[in-house]
Amino acid sequence: MHFFDQKMVYSPFFAKRMFLNVAQMNQTMINNWKQTVTDDDVVYHLGDLALIPSKKAAYQQLFMILQQLPGRIVLIKGNHDSRALFRYLAKHNYQFINGDFKFTFHDVGCLLKFAHQQFFLTHYPMMLGKGGNRINLHGHIHHASCNTVNNINVGVDSPEKEYLAAPPLFGAPFSQKQVLEMVDKKRQDFQKMQF
């Protein structure tokens, strides 16, 4: 998401974001998340929450934004997420009425299984080799996609959202249904390219 990242505000080449300022970009992502996610949802955030200085005041600003976002958030560390930030969020973590914590943390990634497939959730794209039921959901590369059938860029700037009949609003997470649609459409594209 890159909250507070001044370089992302207007970035026609790197991320194709067109905002007037950081506040507008941040608020758009917050609003669109809120339109999509409920408190009962779990969102897997695949790294690079924000580009902020390693200072308590900056962590507090980001925490105030994250408190506005409904749902539980599983945070996978990206190259712009410091350990100090994760420690701050862990220290200020809180529980919902049902006992679930707002934040869960992973340094490298995690594995989800649904729809008879294994989904490796990481910040950086990873090479899985051949295997029909293994998919890497990743972020990091913003405006690009990996030229492999089993890698799906699920960042907010992903070009692979073009596979979707109804792409999510900017900053809104992808649903499981949308992920499966992207996987299916990318497989169809790759089948067309085989001789």
Side-chain angles (χ1 to χ4, degrees):
M1 295 181 93
H2 280 248
F3 282 114
F4 300 106
D5 190 343
Q6 188 65 44
K7 288 185 228 165
M8 289 291 201
V9 169
Y10 184 82
S11 176
F13 304 108
F14 182 63
K16 300 193 188 310
R17 297 187 189 190
M18 306 294 182
F19 295 99
L20 297 175
N21 53 48
V22 165
Q24 182 190 44
M25 179 181 73
N26 288 352
Q27 196 59 53
T28 298
M29 290 191 288
I30 293 166
N31 293 345
N32 291 342
W33 180 297
K34 285 178 168 182
Q35 287 185 41
T36 306
V37 179
T38 71
D39 280 332
D40 295 326
D41 292 325
V42 178
V43 176
Y44 293 83
H45 189 282
L46 305 187
D48 291 354
L49 271 171
L51 192 65
I52 55 177
S54 293
K55 295 181 179 174
K56 187 176 178 183
Y59 296 159
Q60 288 172 332
Q61 282 185 300
L62 179 59
F63 183 69
M64 287 176 16
I65 284 178
L66 297 177
Q67 285 180 298
Q68 297 176 56
L69 303 179
R72 293 184 299 135
I73 305 173
V74 178
L75 296 168
I76 294 169
K77 190 176 177 306
N79 56 302
H80 292 295
D81 300 320
S82 68
R83 293 208 186 286
L85 169 62
F86 274 27
R87 282 193 301 272
Y88 180 90
L89 294 176
K91 182 179 177 182
H92 294 86
N93 206 354
Y94 54 92
Q95 287 181 288
F96 294 107
I97 294 171
N98 67 2
D100 291 334
F101 281 95
K102 175 70 173 178
F103 308 114
T104 307
F105 305 91
H106 293 275
D107 275 345
V108 177
C110 61
L111 174 67
L112 295 179
K113 296 179 182 182
F114 60 93
H116 307 290
Q117 299 181 82
Q118 295 179 332
F119 293 88
F120 295 83
L121 281 62
T122 59
H123 177 65
Y124 298 105
M126 60 186 277
M127 300 310 293
L128 296 173
K130 293 189 179 198
N133 70 342
R134 292 178 297 173
I135 306 294
N136 174 220
L137 303 179
H138 65 85
H140 185 63
I141 55 177
H142 295 273
H143 67 296
S145 59
C146 292
N147 192 23
T148 60
V149 70
N150 292 349
N151 289 76
I152 303 290
N153 181 345
V154 292
V156 296
D157 303 309
S158 169
E160 291 178 323
K161 64 184 166 196
E162 299 301 320
Y163 283 127
L164 299 173
L169 298 170
F170 180 77
F174 294 101
S175 68
Q176 279 188 2
K177 182 179 176 184
Q178 289 171 323
V179 166
L180 292 172
E181 185 179 350
M182 286 190 290
V183 167
D184 184 53
K185 297 276 178 65
K186 191 167 185 180
R187 282 184 178 149
Q188 289 176 31
D189 267 359
F190 271 73
Q191 286 172 350
K192 291 175 194 172
M193 290 187 282
Q194 292 179 358
F195 302 121

